[in-house]
Amino acid sequence: MRTVYICKSLISLSLKNSSHLNKTPISLFPLLFFSSSLETPIAVANYLNDRHKFSAETASKVSSVVKYVKRPEETDSILSFLQESGFSDTHLQRVIKNAPQVLSANLERSIKPKFKFFQDLGFSSSDVVEIVSNDPRILTRSVDNRLGPSILTLKSVFGSNMDDVSRFVKRYGRILSFDLAKTMIPNIEFIMKSCGMSWTQITRYVYNCPRLFLFKPTQIREYVKRVDEMGINRKSKMFLPAIRAIRTMSIENWELKLEVFKSLGFSEDDILSVFRRAPLVFALSERKIRAKTQLLLSTGKCDISYVVNHPFLLTLSVENRLKPRLRVLEVLESRNLLLKNPSLATVFWFTDDKFFEKYVLPYSDEVGELFVVNKV
């Protein structure tokens, strides 16, 4: 309506001035173009709620970062393009919630090139949806300065095997936000040299635990120094897990965990032994360490030395493994159904299927329902 009004006013003005030939005529076209391109900004919450039926929770979160949608029709085009590319309503809300900048992006210059980049690498449409949904901020990254170099780096790590790169990116899409040439490559080279690992070993570890290789090289060297001080041999298979554990803790956190172990009855030698055998125990919270240790000791089937010799027990879930299996054993023992008392380490090491086959299936009338209920 506003455009029509402006047009009528300009035409009227032009007719009034048409007799004054000595004056420069007014050109309507620039003004008409300018007026037709104007859009009234809309509050983000109203835009997402009313225009696109986003959830109130998503609209509220986005509006705390972005107040207005300045060009609603352009933003409509972005959302339409994402829908046409296979994004569901849930995907869309995840993208906008985690990367509100997408609302003000340029579809042709910023959004579409990211999709073309992945498609040119051989990723399917569903792959791209998965990658972007897992890390929507990918849509805000530069293809030339970040995404492209990151893919090249991953190719150098995985031997240009695009199947491996594809699986890796789908699983850890956020890694493309890092400057891998300055973090991953120097860290891989340092750890290989320090630990005497083969390229095959290191790439397997990169695939399963990439975050370890994303720290600044100076930080990795500091973690290695701290692990050395714990007495773990660099060629031990526990060396990299020890680095993983150390990087989750500040010196203060480490001291707190030492105090928890000491309060439970562990000596300093016991604590170091646990760390050397199962360093990831120290990545647990103080609360979990205390709860799991107290549960194991309360059974009367093991003492501190048993836990020290089988520290993997502290890495198991209380609700999904420790308690259900202890309850099954308790019932079987109370009814004298076991010929001998099994080792707790063995019982807890079994997979769920193996435990079911050995301790539940033969006694299904007594513990079948109990194990299923607790397992769930």
Side-chain angles (χ1 to χ4, degrees), residues 52 54 79-96 125-126 129-130 133:
H52 290 283
F54 276 39
L79 296 179
S80 294
F81 172 76
L82 293 177
Q83 287 177 318
E84 292 165 3
S85 299
F87 285 72
S88 65
D89 289 343
T90 300
H91 289 140
L92 279 180
Q93 299 210 38
R94 187 184 305 162
V95 169
I96 301 306
S125 297
S126 60
V129 171
E130 184 178 351
S133 297

Short mmCIF file of all heavy atoms in Angstrom, two decimals, residues 52 54 79-96 125-126 129-130 133:
data_model
loop_
_atom_site.label_atom_id
_atom_site.label_comp_id
_atom_site.label_asym_id
_atom_site.label_seq_id
_atom_site.Cartn_x
_atom_site.Cartn_y
_atom_site.Cartn_z
N HIS A 52 6.30 -18.39 11.05
CA HIS A 52 6.83 -19.72 10.73
C HIS A 52 6.52 -20.78 11.79
O HIS A 52 7.02 -21.90 11.71
CB HIS A 52 8.35 -19.64 10.52
CG HIS A 52 8.72 -18.93 9.26
ND1 HIS A 52 8.63 -19.51 8.02
CD2 HIS A 52 9.14 -17.65 9.05
CE1 HIS A 52 8.99 -18.64 7.09
NE2 HIS A 52 9.31 -17.50 7.68
N PHE A 54 7.42 -21.36 14.80
CA PHE A 54 8.48 -21.92 15.63
C PHE A 54 8.00 -22.00 17.08
O PHE A 54 7.08 -21.27 17.49
CB PHE A 54 9.74 -21.05 15.57
CG PHE A 54 10.62 -21.33 14.38
CD1 PHE A 54 10.09 -21.60 13.13
CD2 PHE A 54 12.00 -21.31 14.51
CE1 PHE A 54 10.90 -21.85 12.04
CE2 PHE A 54 12.83 -21.56 13.43
CZ PHE A 54 12.28 -21.83 12.18
N LEU A 79 14.83 -19.79 4.78
CA LEU A 79 14.11 -20.89 5.43
C LEU A 79 13.48 -21.81 4.39
O LEU A 79 13.47 -23.03 4.55
CB LEU A 79 13.06 -20.34 6.39
CG LEU A 79 13.61 -19.54 7.59
CD1 LEU A 79 12.47 -19.02 8.46
CD2 LEU A 79 14.57 -20.39 8.42
N SER A 80 12.97 -21.22 3.32
CA SER A 80 12.37 -22.03 2.25
C SER A 80 13.43 -22.90 1.58
O SER A 80 13.21 -24.08 1.29
CB SER A 80 11.71 -21.14 1.20
OG SER A 80 10.61 -20.45 1.74
N PHE A 81 14.61 -22.32 1.35
CA PHE A 81 15.70 -23.09 0.73
C PHE A 81 16.10 -24.26 1.63
O PHE A 81 16.32 -25.38 1.13
CB PHE A 81 16.90 -22.18 0.50
CG PHE A 81 18.14 -22.92 0.06
CD1 PHE A 81 18.26 -23.37 -1.24
CD2 PHE A 81 19.17 -23.18 0.96
CE1 PHE A 81 19.39 -24.08 -1.65
CE2 PHE A 81 20.30 -23.87 0.57
CZ PHE A 81 20.41 -24.32 -0.75
N LEU A 82 16.19 -24.04 2.92
CA LEU A 82 16.57 -25.11 3.85
C LEU A 82 15.51 -26.22 3.83
O LEU A 82 15.84 -27.41 3.84
CB LEU A 82 16.76 -24.56 5.26
CG LEU A 82 17.96 -23.61 5.45
CD1 LEU A 82 17.98 -23.07 6.88
CD2 LEU A 82 19.28 -24.32 5.14
N GLN A 83 14.25 -25.82 3.82
CA GLN A 83 13.17 -26.83 3.76
C GLN A 83 13.26 -27.64 2.46
O GLN A 83 13.13 -28.87 2.48
CB GLN A 83 11.82 -26.14 3.86
CG GLN A 83 11.49 -25.62 5.26
CD GLN A 83 10.17 -24.89 5.31
OE1 GLN A 83 9.85 -24.11 4.41
NE2 GLN A 83 9.40 -25.12 6.37
N GLU A 84 13.47 -26.94 1.37
CA GLU A 84 13.56 -27.62 0.07
C GLU A 84 14.79 -28.54 0.01
O GLU A 84 14.83 -29.50 -0.76
CB GLU A 84 13.63 -26.59 -1.05
CG GLU A 84 12.33 -25.82 -1.23
CD GLU A 84 12.50 -24.56 -2.07
OE1 GLU A 84 13.64 -24.34 -2.55
OE2 GLU A 84 11.53 -23.80 -2.23
N SER A 85 15.79 -28.24 0.85
CA SER A 85 17.02 -29.04 0.87
C SER A 85 16.90 -30.25 1.79
O SER A 85 17.86 -31.02 1.93
CB SER A 85 18.21 -28.17 1.32
OG SER A 85 18.41 -27.10 0.43
N GLY A 86 15.74 -30.41 2.43
CA GLY A 86 15.50 -31.60 3.23
C GLY A 86 15.45 -31.38 4.73
O GLY A 86 15.33 -32.34 5.50
N PHE A 87 15.51 -30.13 5.18
CA PHE A 87 15.45 -29.85 6.61
C PHE A 87 14.01 -29.93 7.11
O PHE A 87 13.12 -29.29 6.56
CB PHE A 87 16.01 -28.45 6.91
CG PHE A 87 17.51 -28.37 6.83
CD1 PHE A 87 18.16 -28.41 5.60
CD2 PHE A 87 18.28 -28.25 7.98
CE1 PHE A 87 19.54 -28.35 5.52
CE2 PHE A 87 19.66 -28.19 7.91
CZ PHE A 87 20.30 -28.23 6.67
N SER A 88 13.81 -30.71 8.15
CA SER A 88 12.49 -30.80 8.77
C SER A 88 12.29 -29.58 9.68
O SER A 88 13.21 -28.79 9.89
CB SER A 88 12.40 -32.08 9.62
OG SER A 88 13.31 -32.00 10.72
N ASP A 89 11.08 -29.45 10.24
CA ASP A 89 10.82 -28.35 11.17
C ASP A 89 11.75 -28.43 12.38
O ASP A 89 12.25 -27.42 12.86
CB ASP A 89 9.37 -28.39 11.64
CG ASP A 89 8.39 -28.00 10.53
OD1 ASP A 89 8.84 -27.41 9.52
OD2 ASP A 89 7.19 -28.30 10.66
N THR A 90 12.00 -29.65 12.84
CA THR A 90 12.91 -29.84 13.98
C THR A 90 14.32 -29.40 13.61
O THR A 90 15.00 -28.72 14.40
CB THR A 90 12.94 -31.32 14.41
OG1 THR A 90 11.62 -31.72 14.78
CG2 THR A 90 13.87 -31.52 15.59
N HIS A 91 14.79 -29.77 12.41
CA HIS A 91 16.11 -29.36 11.95
C HIS A 91 16.19 -27.84 11.88
O HIS A 91 17.18 -27.24 12.32
CB HIS A 91 16.40 -29.93 10.56
CG HIS A 91 16.63 -31.40 10.55
ND1 HIS A 91 16.12 -32.22 9.55
CD2 HIS A 91 17.30 -32.21 11.39
CE1 HIS A 91 16.49 -33.46 9.79
NE2 HIS A 91 17.21 -33.49 10.90
N LEU A 92 15.16 -27.23 11.30
CA LEU A 92 15.16 -25.77 11.15
C LEU A 92 15.28 -25.07 12.49
O LEU A 92 16.04 -24.11 12.65
CB LEU A 92 13.88 -25.32 10.44
CG LEU A 92 13.83 -25.42 8.92
CD1 LEU A 92 12.49 -24.92 8.41
CD2 LEU A 92 14.96 -24.63 8.28
N GLN A 93 14.51 -25.53 13.46
CA GLN A 93 14.54 -24.89 14.76
C GLN A 93 15.91 -25.05 15.42
O GLN A 93 16.42 -24.14 16.07
CB GLN A 93 13.44 -25.45 15.66
CG GLN A 93 12.05 -25.21 15.08
CD GLN A 93 10.97 -25.06 16.14
OE1 GLN A 93 11.20 -24.46 17.18
NE2 GLN A 93 9.80 -25.60 15.87
N ARG A 94 16.52 -26.22 15.21
CA ARG A 94 17.85 -26.45 15.78
C ARG A 94 18.87 -25.51 15.14
O ARG A 94 19.73 -24.95 15.81
CB ARG A 94 18.27 -27.91 15.55
CG ARG A 94 19.58 -28.28 16.25
CD ARG A 94 19.97 -29.71 15.91
NE ARG A 94 18.91 -30.65 16.22
CZ ARG A 94 18.82 -31.88 15.73
NH1 ARG A 94 19.75 -32.31 14.88
NH2 ARG A 94 17.85 -32.69 16.08
N VAL A 95 18.76 -25.34 13.82
CA VAL A 95 19.69 -24.46 13.11
C VAL A 95 19.57 -23.03 13.60
O VAL A 95 20.56 -22.38 13.95
CB VAL A 95 19.44 -24.53 11.59
CG1 VAL A 95 20.21 -23.41 10.87
CG2 VAL A 95 19.87 -25.88 11.04
N ILE A 96 18.35 -22.52 13.64
CA ILE A 96 18.13 -21.12 14.00
C ILE A 96 18.45 -20.88 15.48
O ILE A 96 18.98 -19.83 15.85
CB ILE A 96 16.69 -20.69 13.68
CG1 ILE A 96 16.41 -20.88 12.19
CG2 ILE A 96 16.45 -19.25 14.10
CD1 ILE A 96 17.40 -20.18 11.29
N SER A 125 22.34 -35.23 -0.01
CA SER A 125 21.50 -34.20 0.60
C SER A 125 21.24 -34.51 2.07
O SER A 125 21.29 -33.62 2.93
CB SER A 125 20.18 -34.07 -0.14
OG SER A 125 20.40 -33.65 -1.47
N SER A 126 20.98 -35.78 2.38
CA SER A 126 20.73 -36.16 3.77
C SER A 126 21.99 -36.01 4.62
O SER A 126 21.91 -35.66 5.80
CB SER A 126 20.21 -37.60 3.85
OG SER A 126 21.15 -38.51 3.30
N VAL A 129 22.24 -32.32 5.50
CA VAL A 129 21.27 -32.01 6.55
C VAL A 129 21.82 -32.44 7.91
O VAL A 129 21.75 -31.70 8.90
CB VAL A 129 19.91 -32.70 6.28
CG1 VAL A 129 19.00 -32.55 7.50
CG2 VAL A 129 19.25 -32.09 5.06
N GLU A 130 22.39 -33.64 7.95
CA GLU A 130 22.93 -34.17 9.20
C GLU A 130 24.10 -33.33 9.70
O GLU A 130 24.19 -32.98 10.88
CB GLU A 130 23.38 -35.62 8.99
CG GLU A 130 23.89 -36.30 10.26
CD GLU A 130 24.28 -37.75 10.02
OE1 GLU A 130 24.00 -38.27 8.92
OE2 GLU A 130 24.88 -38.36 10.91
N SER A 133 22.85 -29.80 10.76
CA SER A 133 22.02 -29.88 11.97
C SER A 133 22.88 -30.12 13.21
O SER A 133 22.58 -29.60 14.29
CB SER A 133 21.00 -31.02 11.84
OG SER A 133 20.11 -30.76 10.78
#
